[in-house]
Amino acid sequence: MTPPDLPTLLSTRLRLRAVTEDDTAFVQDLYARPEVTEFIGTTDWVETTREQSLARIHRYRAAAGRAAGIWLVETVEGRRALGVALLKPIPRSVRLADSRAQAGLAQDTEIGWHLHPDAWGHGYAIEAARALLAHARRRGLTEVVAVTHPRNVASQRVAERIGMTHQGTTDRYYDTTCALFTLTL
Ligand SMILES: CC(C)(COP(=O)(O)OP(=O)(O)OC[C@H]1O[C@@H](n2cnc3c(N)ncnc32)[C@H](O)[C@@H]1OP(=O)(O)O)[C@@H](O)C(=O)NCCC(=O)NCCS
């Protein structure tokens, strides 16, 4: 069950590695929390069952690609699970997806972060995101985007702290209106 190409990424305090079924209890705890899911997606949701968490882990493992992946973020010291960090093709809004595909344009790559509330406030999201940016550069990506709920100021702050530029709001992705951040690598 090893993903094809998901290298472990290291930073000073963090290890970003492939998520496995051994992480099910953590993933279940993470996405069962309304404060975590509040600004993820466009509907109110939480996932509380082991089955939902296992399905999520399998989706996350399947997201591994040349410059894409969804990583479990843990501390180097003590291997304490902190959350999830991602680099992945971002879905265009339906009304735009066809025209973009017809024009033969590549999909944009999204960078993102979902941390457990116990890990908030220690700069871990910023540190994990910087590790992802270094990986993206090594893999030849030239731009990443981040989208946040317009009220998700914590996530917007992370985007700014890693050098992303706030481009205003957009309805280009996920069939919703988001704050858009971009970074040329
Ligand atoms: C977004 C998230 C990862 C930020 O985690 P964090 O641990 O606070 O992040 P960091 O400690 O790395 O840094 C966050 C920065 O935002 C600031 N910040 C954090 N919470 C904030 C808030 N509620 N309001 C304003 N600023 C905030 C911090 O002060 C820090 O900036 P600074 O270093 O300039 O002071 C975390 O809140 C989270 O996982 N939320 C739930 C999932 C989510 O919404 N993900 C994003 C989807 S787009």
Side-chain angles (χ1 to χ4, degrees), residues 13 30-31 34-41 82 84 110-117 119-128 146-149 151-159 161:
R13 296 177 296 169
L30 182 65
Y31 294 105
E35 67 269 45
V36 171
T37 62
E38 180 181 6
F39 295 127
I40 301 173
L82 304 175
V84 162
E110 170 182 22
I111 186 169
W113 32 77
H114 305 158
L115 292 195
H116 192 285
W120 292 0
H122 298 278
Y124 290 138
I126 292 167
E127 187 171 327
V147 292
T148 79
H149 189 286
R151 286 190 288 110
N152 193 350
V153 285
S155 190
Q156 290 164 18
R157 187 73 191 133
V158 174
R161 286 290 310 279

